[in-house]
Amino acid sequence: MFHHYFLIAWRQIRRHAIFSSLNIFCLAVGIGACLLIGQYVGSELSVNSRLKDASDLYMINSDWKPNSGGLEITTVGPLAKTLKDKYPTLVRDYYRMNPVTNVISAGDLHFQENIAIGDTTLVSMLGFELVHGNPKNAFPNNSSVLITEKLARKLFNTSDAIGKTITINNAAPGSADYHVSGVLKDLPKNSVLNYLDKTGYSAFVPFEGNRYYGGSAGEENWQDFYTVGFIKMQPGKNPKLLADPVKQLLKTNSPETISNNLTVKFKPLSTYYLDANNGAVGKTLKILSFVAAGILLLAMINFINIMVGSASHRMREIGLRKVFGSNRLQLIGQYLSEAVSMAFFSGLVALCLYLALRPRFNQIWDTQLPSIGQFSPAQFLVLLGFLLLTGLLAGAYPALKLSAMSTVNSVKGKFAEGEKSNWLARSLLVLQFTLTAGVFIFSVTLSKQVKYFFEKDQGYNRDQLLVVTAFPKRWDSVGVSHMENVRSSLLRLPGVQNASISFEIPNRTFNDVLIYPEGSDSSQSISVQTNNVDNHFGQTYGIKLLEGRFFKADGEGFTPGEAVITESTRKAFGWTSAVGKRMYFRGFPNPDVVVGVTADFNSGNMTKPIGPGIMFNMKDMLGYRYMSVKLSGGSIPQTLDRIKSKWKDLSPNAPFEYSFMDDKFNEVFSTELRLRKAASISTVLMSLIVGLGIFGLLSQSLARRKREIAVRKVLGAELIHIVAVFARQYALLIGLGLVIACPLAYLLTSNWLEQYAYRIDQSVWTYLSVILTIGLGSLLLIGLQCVKTALSNPVDSLKNE
């Protein structure tokens, strides 16, 4: 019997190929989009879920009082280890690291890599998997290093690099050799260590005996608060139990400037990725989940409406089946089998769409979505269950309603009830317009906000600005002198307009220090973002000078203790003129003299207002990370080749790795850019689904009232009047959906915009433009479909009466 049902279902699908294809495709689009978004959201939510004892892992964060300095993601060096040593009943393990970037070499190969100087508890604490080596003795001595599979293949063309030697350039003079004691399985792109650098870390060396800084990395210094720390709690223990012990440890061991201003917080690693940066990722995933659910719901509604609409064409078939003895259960089974068959066809098409679109969405979201072969059995079961449920829901209404009609009405092709019985389809149509308009409004506002990011004056010029990681890093007078020589050589190249050496560049958050002006004491210190730069920095980045001068030009001599401040710093100190004024680092007796004031410039994303900033002379601080090169007009590829060649001549063992400032600026807003693309695609898909939904519902209505239209034409009704009958009817539904959408979209959009210190104001014109676009587009579609029916020969509709 069931074989017979599905055979008839297949014949019906083939008989109405165009109509069936539209229905199958519409549902497939909804399922495919939901699969793509769902896999991405699932991968983001599962960040760190595979870590050993993930629910007990916490990252130690710092909450500093205003104007107290310090970073949120780092903590006091000895804290994590001391908690484990003194409170073993609460803390069972710890891991600390000091992240750096430098050159790793093997023979003639040199690569820029992120390196973690940390505790030897790395593997036991986080449970990282070793593909080679002994996880129980990952660091047998102080010269051991763990590297990732990827780095092993880059250096040695094999993953089995046990016993091989690598060389790490140090920030202190010289370099150090390490012996590979283990090879880590490549870490996921969104691993716990990607919080500090999205490219992750490829080499891990122990604190003990490290020679990177020529001494300690800060892990034993209670006055150093730039160490990344993690702890693992004992099973069932809450980190709140550590609140009093932490306060006591800080009070006993740290100076008052730390103990009185620092509140330690333990953030669970299971949600840290979602909560970081004001919960930007978490908010994005919620929005994407809402959009995916909306697309899927619209597709289901559309599928149901079209199934209901198509049923009106088969009333005579139902009547004849009843005449020849079919009972109601058989009719219900037939309709349900057809709906389920079409739903499963949609599922197959959806999987094909997933395969086709997966590479594109990997690029959009900068991720690696699983292939269909990597889906878990549970995911396939959920998909099959959803298809079965959708088919049953879509077939239930026409099956139950049409099978219950009298045989006489069925044979005549008449519905037993009037148009008012179609309340369910109309309600679903209102819901469709509400969801589509809401996402459309959010998408338009999102695009305007992202456009605002890129059009807003950042206080510096990023056009044709090349950024090169400055190697070798030798943070002493010899290293600084070498980089100045490199800069001077680059300035002589054709196509190079300017060049500058600095510790940070504007797309990164600068370090905070505590500064107070002369005439006050340390209690009046303010937290200021700092950067070490050379005398070319202002011109290279096009930063406007408001007062005084920048650091002395080459050949004019070097004066220690000079500083250039931003306008916000001048205002924070209450100065009307700053040149010649003195400032003090809290805890240091020697002042710095202000020689210039620049306009404010942005040094991060726009979630926080631009704060006070100070630039110190690189020759004073003896630290650098970047070489920024301003290119002039002309052939950029040739200029790049010249720069690369000169770099290789001057620093033969340093890799030439560069990017453009525009690309780095895009990275700052990568979450927003991905969300904008997803919202735009979702708007298109929703509009497509709604269009098909209107088609399905209107087809049902026109099929019911075909004879009414014919009678109106025979009695002299004009085409415009016939179209107006249906336009008025659906205009109310469309208008109701759009009106409901506006306040919902406003709440959603306002909540998203609140995370930015610099944001656009929501405009009434955005809402009006969306309403007009959707409303007029829908009415045009309705009008065209009504015109087609109204222009048909009335005799064809009346001859069977």
Side-chain angles (χ1 to χ4, degrees):
M1 181 175 67
F2 289 106
H3 172 74
H4 179 69
Y5 286 162
F6 286 106
L7 180 61
I8 296 175
W10 173 242
R11 289 174 179 172
Q12 288 293 332
I13 292 173
R14 292 181 59 190
R15 182 178 301 169
H16 305 284
I18 297 178
F19 208 69
S20 299
S21 298
L22 284 174
N23 204 9
I24 290 172
F25 176 74
C26 182
L27 183 59
V29 168
I31 297 173
C34 195
L35 285 175
L36 289 165
I37 297 175
Q39 289 291 352
Y40 173 71
V41 171
S43 67
E44 294 289 277
L45 291 175
S46 65
V47 169
N48 299 323
S49 63
R50 295 182 181 86
L51 292 176
K52 183 180 178 182
D53 304 315
S55 60
D56 296 325
L57 295 175
Y58 295 84
M59 187 175 183
I60 305 177
N61 277 192
S62 299
D63 184 10
W64 296 89
K65 289 182 180 179
N67 298 328
S68 297
L71 300 176
E72 179 184 4
I73 63 173
T74 59
T75 187
V76 178
L79 183 60
K81 182 179 184 299
T82 306
L83 287 173
K84 164 65 171 61
D85 294 340
K86 290 187 174 295
Y87 303 95
T89 59
L90 297 176
V91 179
R92 56 173 160 158
D93 213 343
Y94 68 95
Y95 176 69
R96 299 166 299 167
M97 62 178 284
N98 186 302
V100 298
T101 301
N102 217 315
V103 177
I104 294 181
S105 305
D108 295 331
L109 298 176
H110 311 280
F111 297 102
Q112 173 188 330
E113 301 292 337
N114 290 329
I115 306 162
I117 306 171
D119 290 303
T120 56
T121 56
L122 172 73
V123 176
S124 62
M125 163 74 173
L126 299 174
F128 289 156
E129 182 180 346
L130 288 178
V131 293
H132 299 288
N134 182 6
K136 295 182 179 179
N137 188 25
F139 296 94
N141 55 64
N142 293 344
S143 295
S144 302
V145 61
L146 295 184
I147 63 175
T148 61
E149 275 186 287
K150 182 178 179 181
L151 179 59
R153 295 186 185 280
K154 284 168 63 176
L155 293 173
F156 307 109
N157 201 30
T158 177
S159 64
D160 188 1
I162 299 296
K164 297 184 182 297
T165 300
I166 66 173
T167 301
I168 298 179
N169 287 355
N170 295 325
S175 58
D177 290 338
Y178 291 87
H179 306 293
V180 178
S181 58
V183 179
L184 290 165
K185 183 177 181 180
D186 286 334
L187 304 178
K189 194 169 185 178
N190 49 14
S191 166
V192 54
L193 300 181
N194 291 77
Y195 302 142
L196 309 172
D197 192 304
K198 75 171 190 174
T199 57
Y201 290 78
S202 55
F204 301 84
V205 299
F207 277 133
E208 296 81 3
N210 92 82
R211 300 172 293 283
Y212 189 83
Y213 295 110
S216 169
E219 73 277 12
E220 302 300 334
N221 185 355
W222 284 93
Q223 298 186 51
D224 184 292
F225 40 83
Y226 294 108
T227 298
V228 179
F230 305 91
I231 61 168
K232 179 185 290 185
M233 299 296 295
Q234 293 287 1
K237 298 297 184 179
N238 193 308
K240 291 180 180 179
L241 297 172
L242 295 175
D244 290 335
V246 166
K247 290 180 181 178
Q248 185 59 45
L249 287 173
L250 293 177
K251 185 176 181 180
T252 303
N253 298 285
S254 293
E256 291 185 358
T257 53
I258 294 178
S259 61
N260 291 343
N261 295 294
L262 171 62
T263 300
V264 171
K265 294 187 175 181
F266 299 93
K267 301 290 186 67
L269 284 186
S270 57
T271 60
Y272 191 93
Y273 175 70
L274 306 178
D275 297 335
N277 296 324
N278 288 333
V281 174
K283 291 179 180 179
T284 298
L285 295 183
K286 287 179 182 178
I287 292 172
L288 287 176
S289 299
F290 168 78
V291 169
I295 292 175
L296 191 59
L297 181 59
L298 291 183
M300 287 181 63
I301 292 172
N302 191 40
F303 188 76
I304 293 171
N305 279 346
I306 293 180
M307 286 297 297
V308 171
S310 64
S312 63
H313 299 291
R314 300 179 61 186
M315 289 183 292
R316 290 187 179 85
E317 176 191 336
I318 295 170
L320 290 175
R321 286 180 179 273
K322 287 184 175 182
V323 169
F324 288 109
S326 294
N327 59 43
R328 188 180 183 192
L329 286 178
Q330 290 174 321
L331 293 173
I332 291 174
Q334 178 60 55
Y335 268 98
L336 290 179
S337 64
E338 290 182 19
V340 170
S341 297
M342 292 186 69
F344 275 91
F345 278 128
S346 296
L348 293 175
V349 176
L351 292 176
C352 294
L353 290 175
Y354 179 89
L355 279 175
L357 297 175
R358 175 172 163 261
R360 177 58 179 160
F361 276 80
N362 282 339
Q363 292 179 341
I364 291 175
W365 288 326
D366 191 23
T367 187
Q368 189 60 43
L369 299 175
S371 64
I372 292 178
Q374 294 174 313
F375 282 17
S376 66
Q379 290 173 325
F380 277 114
L381 287 175
V382 169
L383 177 59
L384 292 174
F386 169 78
L387 295 174
L388 179 61
L389 177 62
T390 301
L392 293 176
L393 288 175
Y397 180 75
L400 294 174
K401 183 173 181 178
L402 298 180
S403 64
M405 292 177 61
S406 68
T407 303
V408 174
N409 285 334
S410 296
V411 172
K412 290 182 177 181
K414 292 182 178 180
F415 277 101
E417 300 177 15
E419 192 73 17
K420 293 181 180 179
S421 65
N422 203 18
W423 62 269
L424 176 61
R426 295 174 181 276
S427 300
L428 294 178
L429 185 61
V430 171
L431 179 58
Q432 282 186 315
F433 277 104
T434 299
L435 292 174
T436 303
V439 172
F440 200 162
I441 292 170
F442 175 77
S443 179
V444 173
T445 307
L446 169 61
S447 295
K448 289 184 176 181
Q449 177 66 19
V450 172
K451 183 180 179 182
Y452 173 74
F453 290 151
F454 287 88
E455 291 182 349
K456 186 181 185 300
D457 183 9
Q458 302 293 321
Y460 66 93
N461 187 349
R462 61 180 184 272
D463 294 337
Q464 293 185 301
L465 197 57
L466 183 75
V467 178
V468 185
T469 305
F471 293 121
K473 286 183 180 177
R474 180 172 176 176
W475 291 348
D476 59 12
S477 58
V478 176
V480 169
S481 178
H482 172 73
M483 291 312 302
E484 288 181 324
N485 181 47
V486 173
R487 181 196 62 200
S488 299
S489 299
L490 294 181
L491 285 171
R492 290 192 288 269
L493 295 177
V496 174
Q497 183 176 332
N498 215 322
S500 172
I501 313 163
S502 63
F503 193 81
E504 291 289 5
I505 53 178
N507 77 308
R508 294 166 55 97
T509 301
F510 298 170
N511 288 332
D512 288 292
V513 298
L514 296 175
I515 301 285
Y516 61 94
E518 63 178 343
S520 61
D521 55 40
S522 60
S523 63
Q524 296 177 309
S525 298
I526 64 171
S527 181
V528 181
Q529 291 186 334
T530 65
N531 193 11
N532 307 331
V533 304
D534 65 4
N535 54 314
H536 290 253
F537 187 81
Q539 291 182 341
T540 302
Y541 278 89
I543 298 172
K544 185 178 180 180
L545 188 65
L546 302 180
E547 181 185 353
R549 61 173 173 83
F550 220 79
F551 301 121
K552 291 181 180 179
D554 298 334
E556 293 182 359
F558 163 61
T559 303
E562 292 184 340
V564 177
I565 67 175
T566 63
E567 186 177 10
S568 289
T569 307
R570 183 174 65 180
K571 291 179 179 177
F573 285 153
W575 293 337
T576 54
S577 177
V579 173
K581 298 289 180 64
R582 298 173 181 269
M583 307 172 304
Y584 292 83
F585 277 103
R586 192 158 75 178
F588 291 88
N590 297 323
D592 286 281
V593 179
V594 177
V595 296
V597 180
T598 71
D600 290 332
F601 58 94
N602 194 34
S603 59
N605 58 33
M606 295 191 181
T607 57
K608 296 179 180 179
I610 298 176
I614 295 179
M615 287 168 279
F616 296 106
N617 197 318
M618 182 188 62
K619 292 184 178 181
D620 265 335
M621 311 308 290
L622 299 179
Y624 54 86
R625 287 180 178 172
Y626 300 100
M627 176 78 74
S628 303
V629 183
K630 184 73 171 180
L631 306 180
S632 58
S635 180
I636 291 181
Q638 282 82 354
T639 303
L640 284 174
D641 289 340
R642 286 191 286 266
I643 294 173
K644 183 176 181 179
S645 177
K646 179 60 68 174
W647 190 276
K648 187 175 181 179
D649 291 340
L650 297 173
S651 299
N653 295 330
F656 180 74
E657 298 195 10
Y658 70 90
S659 59
F660 282 93
M661 197 64 198
D662 275 335
D663 296 330
K664 288 187 172 292
F665 187 78
N666 290 346
E667 288 178 6
V668 174
F669 301 104
S670 58
T671 299
E672 290 80 4
L673 289 170
R674 288 196 294 266
L675 183 58
R676 182 180 67 173
K677 292 178 181 178
S680 299
I681 293 172
S682 300
T683 300
V684 173
L685 293 179
M686 284 187 161
S687 300
L688 173 64
I689 292 171
V690 167
L692 293 175
I694 294 174
F695 177 81
L697 186 58
L698 193 56
S699 295
Q700 178 189 21
S701 181
L702 291 172
R704 291 181 178 183
R705 302 175 65 178
K706 188 176 293 185
R707 292 182 180 85
E708 175 192 334
I709 295 172
V711 171
R712 288 177 179 270
K713 290 187 66 177
V714 169
L715 296 178
E718 296 181 2
L719 177 62
I720 190 171
H721 294 144
I722 296 174
V723 173
V725 170
F726 290 91
R728 284 198 302 267
Q729 176 181 334
Y730 287 96
L732 179 62
L733 300 177
I734 295 170
L736 180 59
L738 296 177
V739 168
I740 296 173
C742 288
L744 296 178
Y746 182 83
L747 292 175
L748 173 66
T749 307
S750 296
N751 179 262
W752 181 76
L753 287 173
E754 283 177 359
Q755 64 184 305
Y756 302 106
Y758 303 97
R759 54 181 180 264
I760 63 171
D761 294 323
Q762 293 202 62
S763 170
V764 66
W765 296 110
T766 298
Y767 288 74
L768 289 177
S769 63
V770 170
I771 289 172
L772 290 174
T773 300
I774 294 179
L776 294 178
S778 301
L779 290 175
L780 178 62
L781 176 62
I782 291 170
L784 291 175
Q785 197 169 353
C786 291
V787 167
K788 181 181 177 181
T789 303
L791 290 176
S792 62
N793 192 343
V795 176
D796 295 333
S797 301
L798 297 173
K799 64 182 180 181
N800 291 325
E801 283 293 329

